[in-house]
Amino acid sequence: MDSLEADLERARDLAVADLADAVESIGFECTRCGACCTSEAEDPHTATVFPDEVREIQDTNDYDWRDVARPMPYGLREGEEGPEGETFEWALATDGCGDCTFYEEEGGVGACTVHPDRPLICRTYPFSVVLEDEGAGDDAGEDTELAQPMGAAVDREGSVRAHECEGLGRDISRADAEELAGALKERAIRELEEAIAVREAYEPADPGSGEVVVHDSEGTKRADGRPRGG
């Protein structure tokens, strides 16, 4: 069985109660510091967003595609007319400072302007899921970690890895831990389903000068989200 399909089976077999135990053990409470929504040094904020998540934010807030998402920058190069080339998937749009375009701050307290519709990667920060073969541990060297949120990994409990965040180590209720764990499992499944669909839908492209081509689970698109050639 292909490794992506095998990982997908493992993701579907994850027990939400076990993930909740791990989250509860590590502990977490959002302090609304905004670190996960803003740029680091000269690197713009990068958070993966699925095509259907883009449309959900669009529909709820009456935005255009480019108001919500931008081509993932990895794989693109700077041409005479701006970025060009091919890339895979979408990232949340950023402002002129490189921060998430939906982040706002008042009195040192951060807020998300699309909080009810925020993507799974935002719902689950600062945690991610690590998938590995049964019996394998950290020393096995072959764990499969899914797409990462911002920040280096600093802790791990079972299949849950925690990333840099000042909210770690704080008390979390069982109900909140279970809600977060459910979102973690959903994200793990969705990331793998998306990766498999991208692989199956992929068709090589030959971008022209100044053109950006994005490959996602729905096919090949332009930088504005429209199907390429359509």
Side-chain angles (χ1 to χ4, degrees), residues 137-218:
D138 282 333
D139 296 333
E142 293 295 331
D143 7 311
T144 301
E145 189 166 3
L146 303 176
Q148 295 310 299
M150 300 61 64
V154 295
D155 199 358
R156 177 168 174 189
E157 287 285 341
S159 297
V160 175
R161 185 164 288 173
H163 300 259
E164 290 178 349
C165 177
E166 70 173 37
L168 291 174
R170 298 169 183 259
D171 290 339
I172 183 171
S173 70
R174 183 64 187 185
D176 287 346
E178 289 177 348
E179 181 179 356
L180 206 161
L184 269 173
K185 178 174 180 176
E186 181 184 358
R187 176 182 153 206
I189 293 170
R190 287 291 311 280
E191 285 174 344
L192 287 161
E193 288 177 339
E194 184 77 7
I196 291 169
V198 168
R199 183 190 63 194
E200 293 177 350
Y202 176 76
E203 293 184 4
D206 184 19
S209 177
E211 182 184 15
V212 172
V213 174
V214 182
H215 301 279
D216 66 23
S217 58
E218 299 173 347

Side-chain angles (χ1 to χ4, degrees), residues 45-129:
H45 176 270
T46 304
T48 306
V49 58
F50 301 131
D52 64 306
E53 292 179 322
V54 176
R55 284 191 289 271
E56 184 174 356
I57 296 173
Q58 275 187 280
D59 294 344
T60 305
N61 301 275
D62 195 27
Y63 289 140
D64 290 330
W65 185 280
R66 285 196 174 191
D67 294 329
V68 180
R70 63 191 175 99
M72 189 65 74
Y74 310 123
L76 301 181
R77 59 186 177 275
E78 193 63 29
E80 293 182 0
E81 302 176 22
E84 60 184 29
E86 295 181 76
T87 188
F88 293 86
E89 295 296 348
W90 302 90
L92 284 174
T94 52
D95 62 19
C97 297
D99 299 340
C100 177
T101 191
F102 303 117
Y103 176 74
E104 62 180 23
E105 186 173 303
E106 184 174 347
V109 177
C112 173
T113 59
V114 293
H115 193 266
D117 304 310
R118 67 197 187 283
L120 280 166
I121 196 167
C122 302
R123 293 178 185 274
T124 53
Y125 186 84
F127 299 103
S128 61
V129 165

